[in-house]
């Protein structure tokens, strides 16, 4: 069984990491159930293991935390649902690429619950949506904005960190970084797309779609 935990209020980032690491260690030992932890953070930036210093364009804006997850700089803050995923990948096939694809599909299926078509792109981490209401790209294709980020770490085949989906964050807060090192595309949210989705609505969809993707 996978335990689900929802934290109300804003959770300190360093406390969350400590709790994640402790729980992942217990899962690896067989002493605790797997866990999906849904929460929000106060405004902050995290630097993944591939972060480039030049992509932190406003270092004094919010606290900046180095992170052991993969990826580059990302933003967390109120109005963004973070789902920390502590799962035993060993018993799920020991296939990291497959596991990441499952996380992507989880996000895409969740967005589809609100009639949003999420897509993945080669060379661009995360989940993207086409914006026909914006000027097209130079190649003539529709503009694309990022709506969800994915970044995980494995220790003893147990995952931690996870995904984040923009429900109604202050999108201006992303301007202090180059999100995931990508300059030619923007960032969006469910509310920015004109959908009055609440955090509770998203949580229900996340739980339902998790079962569809991971079979639990």
């Amino acid at each position: 069984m996978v335990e689900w935990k929802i934290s109300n209020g804003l959770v300190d980032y360093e406390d969350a990491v400590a709790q994640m690491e402790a729980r992942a260690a217990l899962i690896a030992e067989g002493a605790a159930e797997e866990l999906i932890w849904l929460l929000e953070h106060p405004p902050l930036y995290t630097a993944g293991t591939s972060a480039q210093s030049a992509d932190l364009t406003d270092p004094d804006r919010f606290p900046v935390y180095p992170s052991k997850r993969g990826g580059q700089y990302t933003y967390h803050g109120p109005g963004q649902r973070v789902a920390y995923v502590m799962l035993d990948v060993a018993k799920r096939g020991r296939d990291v690429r497959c596991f990441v694809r499952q996380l992507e599909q989880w996000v895409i299926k969740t967005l589809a619950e609100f009639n949003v078509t999420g897509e993945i792109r080669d060379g661009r981490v995360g989940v993207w949506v086409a914006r026909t209401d914006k000027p097209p790209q130079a190649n003539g294709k529709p503009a694309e904005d990022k709506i969800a980020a994915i970044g995980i770490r494995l220790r003893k085949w147990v995952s931690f960190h996870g995904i984040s989906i923009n429900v109604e964050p202050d999108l201006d807060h992303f301007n202090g970084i180059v999100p995931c090192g990508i300059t030619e595309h923007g960032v969006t949210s469910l509310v920015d797309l004109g959908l009055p989705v609440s955090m509770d609505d998203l949580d229900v969809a996340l739980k339902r779609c998790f079962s569809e993707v991971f079979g639990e």
Side-chain angles (χ1 to χ4, degrees):
M1 295 292 294
V2 177
E3 179 186 352
W4 286 74
K5 174 183 176 181
I6 300 177
S7 290
N8 297 317
L10 303 179
V11 179
D12 178 79
Y13 181 76
E14 291 180 314
D15 287 347
V17 171
Q19 291 187 54
M20 272 194 292
E21 293 188 345
R23 181 62 173 253
L26 290 173
I27 294 169
E29 294 169 4
E33 294 179 338
E34 297 173 300
L35 174 66
I36 306 296
W37 185 13
L38 306 180
L39 55 82
E40 294 173 81
H41 285 304
L44 59 93
Y45 299 128
T46 65
T49 54
S50 301
Q52 305 293 318
S53 58
D55 289 340
L56 180 61
T57 58
D58 191 355
D60 299 323
R61 188 168 191 174
F62 299 125
V64 181
Y65 297 96
S67 174
K68 297 175 183 177
R69 61 161 176 80
Q72 302 185 43
Y73 280 103
T74 193
Y75 165 78
H76 294 311
Q80 180 192 74
R81 177 52 93 208
V82 175
Y84 285 137
V85 179
M86 287 148 273
L87 297 176
D88 186 345
V89 181
K91 76 176 188 181
R92 298 169 183 275
R94 292 178 180 257
D95 188 331
V96 178
R97 289 185 179 181
C98 177
F99 181 64
V100 172
R101 286 196 298 270
Q102 287 178 309
L103 293 175
E104 292 170 341
Q105 287 304 309
W106 181 27
V107 173
I108 289 169
K109 282 182 173 291
T110 299
L111 294 174
E113 295 279 300
F114 306 102
N115 296 315
V116 174
T117 301
E119 300 176 318
I120 56 174
R121 292 288 181 264
D122 290 339
R124 280 195 262 141
V125 179
V127 178
W128 302 78
V129 295
R131 299 298 302 268
T132 56
D133 57 332
K134 288 187 173 183
Q137 302 178 57
N139 59 13
K141 294 182 178 180
E144 294 180 343
D145 286 344
K146 189 172 188 175
I147 194 167
I150 298 173
I152 62 166
R153 182 174 176 84
L154 269 64
R155 183 176 295 158
K156 296 182 178 180
W157 285 102
V158 176
S159 67
F160 54 107
H161 296 284
I163 67 173
S164 60
I165 299 176
N166 296 331
V167 179
E168 193 179 7
D170 185 338
L171 296 179
D172 180 65
H173 289 179
F174 286 87
N175 292 338
I177 56 172
V178 178
C180 300
I182 298 168
T183 58
E184 62 270 29
H185 301 283
V187 180
T188 190
S189 68
L190 290 167
V191 171
D192 182 53
L193 293 173
L195 301 167
V197 177
S198 72
M199 204 65 76
D200 290 342
D201 294 335
L202 183 69
D203 291 347
V204 170
L206 280 168
K207 193 165 187 178
R208 178 167 53 244
C209 294
F210 181 89
S211 298
E212 293 178 7
V213 174
F214 291 91
E216 300 176 32

